[in-house]
């Protein structure tokens, strides 16, 4: 959701009043997490219908909200995703050149995760050569963009008020 949010003139004035970019970014991170948790909850509901009843692995238990690394204080990114990923490098030309085809690499997928090792979630979300896609993350974001944006506006204003009150 790489959108610019309009109508935050009074919030920008309070950001300037606060003065410290680190405190502003902390408030924005807390607010973005609250906003993206709306999308996370929708993704969990979507994924519950996709889980195989015979398997002990549960994709919905591995859906998380986490901040992504950015450079500088003026940027913020919050992601909703699934712990785990592909296990082996596929047989592609760049991987053949590097000599890594078939080798394993570190993923977030582990049987120690709450929902088990759900490395296969990508096949459900994006499909494969033999299976059609059954997305659960993308519709969660598309259907909740407005709610997440309004929650961010409300929460960010509230968080800035808390930080200003501490001064």
């Amino acid at each position: 959701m790489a959108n610019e949010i309009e109508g935050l003139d009074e919030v920008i004035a309070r950001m300037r009043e606060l003065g410290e970019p680190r405190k502003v970014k902390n408030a924005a991170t807390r607010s973005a997490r609250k906003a993206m948790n709306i999308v996370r909850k929708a993704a969990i509901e979507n994924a519950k219908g996709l889980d195989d009843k015979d398997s002990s692995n549960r994709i919905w238990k591995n859906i998380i909200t986490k901040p992504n690394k950015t450079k500088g204080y003026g940027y913020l990114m919050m992601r909703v995703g699934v712990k785990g990923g592909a296990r082996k490098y596929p047989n592609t030309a760049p991987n053949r050149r590097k000599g890594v085809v078939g080798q394993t690499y570190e993923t977030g997928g582990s049987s120690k995760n709450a929902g088990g090792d759900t490395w296969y979630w990508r096949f459900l979300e994006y499909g494969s050569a033999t299976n059609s896609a059954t997305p659960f993350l993308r519709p969660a974001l598309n259907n909740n963009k407005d709610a997440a944006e309004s929650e961010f506006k409300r929460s960010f204003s509230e968080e800035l008020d808390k930080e200003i009150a501490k001064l």
Side-chain angles (χ1 to χ4, degrees):
M1 189 172 98
N3 294 357
E4 290 187 25
I5 300 174
E6 302 293 325
L8 293 175
D9 297 330
E10 63 185 49
V11 173
I12 291 171
R14 280 190 270 158
M15 286 169 53
R16 288 191 182 110
E17 180 182 337
L18 188 58
E20 293 184 45
R22 187 77 224 154
K23 288 185 178 183
V24 172
K25 186 167 184 178
N26 288 344
T29 300
R30 289 190 298 268
S31 300
R33 184 179 301 276
K34 287 178 185 176
M36 292 307 286
N37 277 338
I38 294 171
V39 175
R40 178 178 166 262
K41 287 177 185 174
I44 286 172
E45 289 303 314
N46 294 346
K48 281 184 178 180
L50 298 176
D51 279 330
D52 183 9
K53 307 295 184 225
D54 298 331
S55 172
S56 62
N57 295 333
R58 299 285 175 250
I59 294 172
W60 66 270
K61 287 185 177 180
N62 287 343
I63 296 176
I64 59 169
T65 305
K66 69 181 231 177
N68 204 15
K69 293 188 177 192
T70 58
K71 292 182 180 181
Y73 291 116
Y75 302 100
L76 175 69
M77 185 183 301
M78 190 66 61
R79 299 181 340 172
V80 173
V82 181
K83 289 181 187 176
R87 294 187 203 188
K88 294 185 178 186
Y89 287 102
N91 186 8
T92 62
N95 288 340
R96 283 192 299 271
R97 272 187 239 114
K98 293 177 189 173
V100 295
V101 172
Q103 293 179 8
T104 60
Y105 57 93
E106 190 67 32
T107 68
S110 168
S111 58
K112 295 177 185 174
N113 287 343
D117 189 8
T118 53
W119 57 272
Y120 55 87
W121 72 270
R122 294 172 190 262
F123 299 128
L124 294 173
E125 179 71 17
Y126 302 113
S128 67
T130 57
N131 297 326
S132 61
T134 310
F136 58 96
L137 288 173
R138 291 175 287 169
L141 177 61
N142 292 337
N143 297 337
N144 293 294
K145 278 184 182 179
D146 294 333
E149 186 175 316
S150 63
E151 173 62 22
F152 178 78
K153 285 181 184 179
R154 185 200 61 76
S155 179
F156 189 48
S157 179
E158 196 175 279
E159 292 291 335
L160 282 178
D161 288 339
K162 286 180 188 177
E163 289 293 332
I164 290 171
K166 290 179 187 178
L167 293 178

